[in-house]
Amino acid sequence: MAERRLLVLFGSQTGTAQDTAERIGREAKRRHLRCRVEALDGCDVANLIHEPLVVFVCATTGQGDPPDNMKMFWRFLFRKNLPAGSLCQLDYAVLGLGDSSYPRFNFVAKKLHKRLLQLGGNPLLPVALGDDQHDLGPDAVVDPWLVALWDKILALYPLPPGLEIISPDVRLPPRYTLRYLPEDSPHPDSDLLQPPVPRAAPCELHPFAARVLSNQRVTAQSHFQDVRLIEFDVAGSGITFSAGDVVMIQPQNCPEDVQQFCQLLRLEPHRRFVLEPTEPGTALPPLLPQPCTIQYLVTHYLDISCVPRRSFFELLASFSTSELEREKLQEFSSAQGQEELFSYCSRPRRTTLEAMWDFPHTTCAVPADYLLDLIPRIRPRAFSIASSMLAHPERMQILVAVVQYKTRLSKPRRGLCSTWLASLNPEQGDVRVPLWVKKGGMKFPADPATPVIMIGPGTGVAPFRAAIQERVALGRRGNCLFFGCRYKSKDFYCQAEWEELVTKGLLTLFTAFSRDQEEKVYVQHRIRENGRLVWELLSSGNAHVYLAG
């Protein structure tokens, strides 16, 4: 009998496609299939020719782009020299997650489906196009599509005699077991919080712990928005970057949230444990040291401040000892309860920790072994680099707007990463931030004679500050910046720096302060007023135009 194995590959930017892929993995286990779930860039594409059955789950980002963790796969798959029949042994299905308010809706899934067909793959079903805009979200498409998918798969790979589909009421085993170490076991000398100095260029698996040199508020104290210019020391890291590049920062939870979480789940923060995979062949989470403390796991790994997904409530319901709480959790994890879940969670941006507070009887019954199945890991955040190495060698600066807003919940919502960064005070000792650099989407012209028109309202000016510093250091003129904010006196970032460059004739600057007069003035008004100059730069100077929000 053919081996009953399934490979689920995902391309995910915000975690939704990964969450869906993991759901398919759980449903495969209930049908006794051997199943691996991996990011597309984490699998060896050349091995696809040996896979009998693959489900692809992919999101579409930006203007029809593949997510970051499938870019290498994408390049490989569209190589011209791949033979037409190379995937003729492959049965596959593609599930797309997109948003129909964008013109290139689910572009990646459609294109992938078509390419797999060209390479001889055999589709089990038409491509599924999940839509964020639907009242029930992507699940409106995903749920019925999965029912049809399992029918197809079980027809090809029937259940072995004597085995039944494991009922949804039966909880699957956790991915890992937390084996607590005896309190008196020897501690390794290395401090958990000091990652080793990486040998290669820093990356997601080996970030560089950069020292914070300064953390300066660049908006007036009276201004509603707190914006920071933060400088890091990257000396000795091997990090290099140019204008338009992006720094990825791995944030952490605040101590109060960590303490609350541990109290709720009755966890001892200083207990040490090692993780052991339940199934052989399951890789350990790469960013967790072994052994590890509960404190480290909750501070640096578990995303307790994210808005929980349907899968969270599904697993949580299985631990519930309270009938009342269990009924509500089951409603939130059912297809019919998705509108209710949206107004409980997504609309008010309720966090995982807050949801756990609302189900106290259930929460205190969650076994520690299931924490990594229940709560996703903290994702890195991307910031445009706001400085040039030519102007500030061995330094890196970013411009961070601290995210804070109100919903109907009494406590203001706060951005995890920006709030944490704003709280760091380099005057209180050696403060470090794990980071690495990624190539950005903006490329500035190589020809020194080409002028650039940059339109950067608010913190959108960050990559242009890097570009202007770089271009000025290289002696390039033709730098034209349109900057917009609310008030000249409150949120005109880097005002002195721009004005000095204007005085030296190295920058042409147009500003729009929207609230400094009766009628609102924005960058587009300044562009229109200076239409003749803009047109001259475009038509005779071949200027490049850049826009960042």
Side-chain angles (χ1 to χ4, degrees), residues 250-487:
Q250 185 64 49
Q252 60 186 57
N253 291 310
C254 71
E256 303 81 66
D257 284 0
V258 172
Q259 191 187 352
Q260 275 193 12
F261 182 86
C262 290
Q263 279 171 354
L264 258 181
L265 280 95
R266 301 176 185 172
L267 296 166
E268 298 170 52
H270 299 292
R271 279 304 293 274
R272 292 161 69 243
F273 65 88
V274 288
L275 278 185
E276 293 173 346
T278 314
E279 287 182 11
T282 305
L284 290 169
L287 293 163
L288 276 182
Q290 292 267 54
C292 184
T293 62
I294 291 290
Q295 177 101 27
Y296 188 95
L297 173 73
V298 183
T299 303
H300 296 272
Y301 195 85
L302 298 179
D303 197 353
I304 57 178
S305 76
C306 71
V307 176
R309 302 175 187 274
R310 175 179 171 179
S311 57
F312 167 86
F313 294 97
E314 196 176 321
L315 182 54
L316 198 58
S318 72
F319 305 119
S320 192
T321 49
S322 143
E323 201 175 325
L324 196 66
E325 288 185 10
R326 186 169 55 246
E327 279 179 11
K328 195 68 193 167
L329 290 164
Q330 284 170 338
E331 182 191 345
F332 283 157
S333 57
S334 70
Q336 302 74 40
Q338 289 315 288
E339 274 187 68
E340 185 78 15
L341 178 58
F342 184 81
S343 50
Y344 170 70
C345 257
S346 307
R347 191 171 290 126
R349 310 304 294 166
R350 194 183 303 271
T351 69
T352 294
L353 179 59
E354 288 168 332
M356 291 178 107
W357 270 114
D358 286 348
F359 296 92
H361 300 93
T362 307
T363 295
C364 69
V366 173
D369 287 350
Y370 279 94
L371 286 176
L372 285 96
D373 294 87
L374 188 65
I375 300 170
R377 77 172 178 90
I378 298 173
R379 296 188 161 263
R381 310 305 206 253
F383 293 90
S384 291
I385 298 173
S387 62
S388 165
M389 294 191 109
L390 299 180
H392 303 276
E394 305 191 324
R395 302 282 185 264
M396 177 196 288
Q397 298 175 355
I398 56 173
L399 201 56
V400 180
V402 182
V403 176
Q404 184 180 337
Y405 56 94
K406 283 288 293 174
T407 65
R408 63 180 171 77
L409 302 178
S410 59
K411 208 174 152 191
R413 307 291 90 193
R414 294 178 191 278
L416 173 68
C417 191
S418 61
T419 304
W420 172 60
L421 288 172
S423 76
L424 302 176
N425 182 356
E427 286 161 21
Q428 289 175 352
D430 190 19
V431 183
R432 296 197 176 245
V433 168
L435 52 78
W436 64 98
V437 166
K438 270 177 33 182
K439 279 277 149 242
M442 279 188 186
K443 297 275 175 284
F444 290 88
D447 179 351
T450 306
V452 292
I453 300 169
M454 296 162 279
I455 306 154
T459 51
V461 80
F464 303 139
R465 181 171 181 258
I468 291 165
Q469 287 182 0
E470 189 171 288
R471 288 172 61 82
V472 166
L474 293 169
R476 294 181 182 171
R477 292 174 178 266
N479 305 309
C480 175
L481 174 66
F482 288 87
F483 174 75
C485 63
R486 292 195 175 199
Y487 306 97

Side-chain angles (χ1 to χ4, degrees), residues 97-133:
L97 296 170
D99 182 324
S100 59
S101 65
Y102 284 81
R104 307 187 86 174
F105 171 56
N106 261 317
F107 183 73
V108 171
K110 292 172 188 167
K111 198 168 169 181
L112 172 61
H113 183 73
K114 206 164 145 188
R115 180 61 175 152
L116 294 168
L117 258 181
Q118 282 175 352
L119 295 172
N122 178 30
L124 296 178
L125 288 172
V127 57
L129 305 176
D131 184 8
D132 245 356
Q133 291 297 317

